[in-house]
């Protein structure tokens, strides 16, 4: 058996077909929906592939039209979908949502993912060598919550070993996903985060899951193990902590993506002013932007700035996905001084405004 082709990033997790409302209102009142796709890990995969990185998405979908749509759409971004399995006995997950912002009183989401093909992923039906054949393996707490088999798979992939790539883990605490299982969600998420190399977590979800209310430094005290911890602070910005040596057990031909960082350091980078269209998918875009800069060995400040810029691309679009800014465009904005960065204001269409230097307004 031939060794799987090595790529920059492998992302493993469920993607679903999403139905976006044709107008604001309750789900009971919306007469039509537009089809899209959504999934934390596939969102990261699509963003990175659109930016020119070699990316593989690993998952399972049903032998149905929705599964066809997912595979074709994710593949259309340039993602390698050859390792996506098809399950003849389980459906592809779907969900419907309202136009209201997540967390608001008017926001509704109706998931139809119980018993989905992706929830049946396991150590037995996923090719682990294919998943491990990347510089970075991106996972999230959503996958761990889907089933006991998925949790066992995530734990196996994160176990120490010579073939383990650098593991990026987005906590993505979704309390509702843990209600039907026996696992203690917050405890499991803490266990998994402590075993990862790069961790993304929001201040709000750290409070909800673990009762941490003291900000980034207190979250770091709870999670001292990850070599890089990124605490997302909503519209305020993000803080990154880094520690440890750059020995990551990566595939030999690739340079260590955490190289060049100063040990035991931290930095806060303020968020940008953004004319928000919708927030769904912004956290995934932030992770993709940060990972893109990590793969390029950029300084820690620049990794956070790329995260903010990629998040802004999604925040100014209606769906879960939006093309990231070109590398040259993003690098130009990342290189601004603190004053120029603080004056940026990004609106819909800003990623096409290649001449932007200090401010981009809605066209």
């Amino acid at each position: 058996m031939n060794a799987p082709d090595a790529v920059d990033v492998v992302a493993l997790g469920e993607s679903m077909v999403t139905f976006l409302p044709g107008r604001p209102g309750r789900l009971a009142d919306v007469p039509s929906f537009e089809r899209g796709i959504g999934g934390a890990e596939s969102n990261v995969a699509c963003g990175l592939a659109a930016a020119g990185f070699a990316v593989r998405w690993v998952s399972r979908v049903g032998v149905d039209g929705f599964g066809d749509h997912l595979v074709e759409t994710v593949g259309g971004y340039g993602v390698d979908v050859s390792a996506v399995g098809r399950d003849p006995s389980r459906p592809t997950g779907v969900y419907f949502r309202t136009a209201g912002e997540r967390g608001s009183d008017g926001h509704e989401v109706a998931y139809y993912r119980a018993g989905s093909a992706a929830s049946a992923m396991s150590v037995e039906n996923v090719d682990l060598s294919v998943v491990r054949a990347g510089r970075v393996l991106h996972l999230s707490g959503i996958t761990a919550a889907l089933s006991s088999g998925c949790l066992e798979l995530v734990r196996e992939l994160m176990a120490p070993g010579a073939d383990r790539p650098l593991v990026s883990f987005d906590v993505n605490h979704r309390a509702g996903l843990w209600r039907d299982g026996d696992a203690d969600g917050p405890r499991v998420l803490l266990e998994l985060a402590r075993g990862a190399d790069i961790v993304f977590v929001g201040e709000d979800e750290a409070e909800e899951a673990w009762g941490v209310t003291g900000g980034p430094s207190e979250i770091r005290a709870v999670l001292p193990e990850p070599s890089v911890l990124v605490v997302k602070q909503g519209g305020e910005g993000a803080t990154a902590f880094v520690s440890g040596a750059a020995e990551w057990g990566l595939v030999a031909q690739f340079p260590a993506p955490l190289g060049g960082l100063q040990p035991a350091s931290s930095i806060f980078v303020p968020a940008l002013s953004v004319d928000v269209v919708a927030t769904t998918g912004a956290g995934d875009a932030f992770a993709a932007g940060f990972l893109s800069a990590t793969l390029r060995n950029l300084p820690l400040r620049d990794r956070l700035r790329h995260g903010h810029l990629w998040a802004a691309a999604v925040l100014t679009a209606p769906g879960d996905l939006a093309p990231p800014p070109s590398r040259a465009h993003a690098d130009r904005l990342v290189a601004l001084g603190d004053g120029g960065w603080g004056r940026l204001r990004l609106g819909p269409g800003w990623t096409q405004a290649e001449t932007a230097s200090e401010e981009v307004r809605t066209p």
Side-chain angles (χ1 to χ4, degrees), residues 16 18 20 23 44 48 75 121 124 126 137 153 156 159 164 191 258 285 328 333 345 351:
M16 293 178 289
T18 71
L20 310 176
R23 71 183 191 196
V44 171
L48 287 168
M121 285 190 294
E124 288 73 28
V126 171
L137 169 59
L153 174 62
E156 175 65 24
R164 170 181 143 153
E191 166 210 327
L258 298 189
L333 297 180
R345 184 177 182 85
T351 56

Side-chain angles (χ1 to χ4, degrees), residues 8-53:
D8 294 315
V9 178
V10 175
L12 177 143
E14 179 172 38
S15 189
M16 293 178 289
V17 173
T18 71
F19 289 92
L20 310 176
R23 71 183 191 196
R26 302 183 310 153
L27 285 178
D29 300 328
V30 176
S32 62
F33 296 80
E34 181 178 350
R35 184 181 63 178
I37 68 169
E41 300 84 2
S42 61
N43 286 348
V44 171
C46 290
L48 287 168
F53 293 95

Side-chain angles (χ1 to χ4, degrees), residues 244-300:
E247 297 295 336
W248 310 110
L250 299 179
V251 178
Q253 65 266 37
F254 294 126
L258 298 189
L261 296 183
Q262 296 297 315
S265 61
S266 66
I267 187 171
F268 168 79
V269 172
L272 296 162
S273 296
V274 178
D275 297 330
V276 176
V277 174
T279 59
T280 306
D284 304 325
F286 181 95
F290 187 92
L291 291 175
S292 75
T294 296
L295 288 160
R296 296 171 59 199
N297 286 321
L298 298 184
L300 188 58

Side-chain angles (χ1 to χ4, degrees), residues 205-220:
E205 61 186 343
E207 179 177 356
E208 182 182 5
W210 307 316
V212 179
T213 59
S217 295
E218 187 173 324
I219 296 171
R220 182 54 163 173

Side-chain angles (χ1 to χ4, degrees), residues 169-172 190 193 197-208 210 212-224 226-242 265-271 283 286-287 290 300 303-305 307-308:
F169 182 73
D170 194 334
V171 171
N172 261 324
L190 188 60
D197 301 303
I198 302 175
V199 172
F200 300 94
V201 64
E203 247 185 340
D204 54 347
E205 61 186 343
E207 179 177 356
E208 182 182 5
W210 307 316
V212 179
T213 59
S217 295
E218 187 173 324
I219 296 171
R220 182 54 163 173
V222 172
L223 283 171
S227 296
V228 176
L229 172 65
V230 179
V231 179
K232 296 174 291 182
Q233 298 164 260
E236 182 180 349
T239 299
F241 300 85
V242 61
S265 61
S266 66
I267 187 171
F268 168 79
V269 172
F286 181 95
F290 187 92
L300 188 58
R303 301 182 194 199
L304 289 170
R305 284 191 171 189
H308 286 315

Side-chain angles (χ1 to χ4, degrees), residues 29-210:
D29 300 328
V30 176
S32 62
F33 296 80
E34 181 178 350
R35 184 181 63 178
I37 68 169
E41 300 84 2
S42 61
N43 286 348
V44 171
C46 290
L48 287 168
F53 293 95
V55 186
R56 176 180 297 126
W57 174 51
V58 179
S59 188
R60 288 176 70 80
V61 299
V63 182
D64 51 34
F66 289 145
D68 294 341
H69 176 65
L70 276 175
V71 173
E72 291 166 6
T73 304
V74 175
Y77 281 85
V79 177
D80 175 2
V81 294
S82 61
V84 178
R86 307 301 292 260
D87 190 326
S89 61
R90 293 173 178 268
T92 304
V94 302
Y95 74 94
F96 297 76
R97 68 174 173 87
T98 56
E101 294 299 334
R102 179 179 289 165
S104 68
D105 291 339
H107 183 67
E108 297 176 73
V109 181
Y111 288 103
Y112 299 91
R113 74 194 309 176
S116 69
S119 70
M121 285 190 294
S122 68
V123 174
E124 288 73 28
N125 62 25
V126 171
D127 188 335
L128 302 186
S129 66
V130 170
V131 180
R132 289 169 171 148
R135 298 170 67 181
V136 176
L137 169 59
H138 183 70
L139 302 167
S140 91
I142 293 174
T143 305
L146 294 179
S147 68
S148 58
C150 284
L151 176 55
E152 179 187 11
L153 174 62
V154 171
R155 282 173 167 156
E156 175 65 24
L157 292 170
M158 295 182 70
D163 59 348
R164 170 181 143 153
L166 182 145
V167 174
S168 164
F169 182 73
D170 194 334
V171 171
N172 261 324
H173 178 237
R174 301 287 187 270
L177 287 178
W178 295 96
R179 287 173 184 160
D180 297 329
D182 296 327
D184 177 352
R187 178 189 58 78
V188 171
L189 292 174
L190 188 60
E191 166 210 327
L192 295 174
R194 284 173 169 167
D197 301 303
I198 302 175
V199 172
F200 300 94
V201 64
E203 247 185 340
D204 54 347
E205 61 186 343
E207 179 177 356
E208 182 182 5
W210 307 316

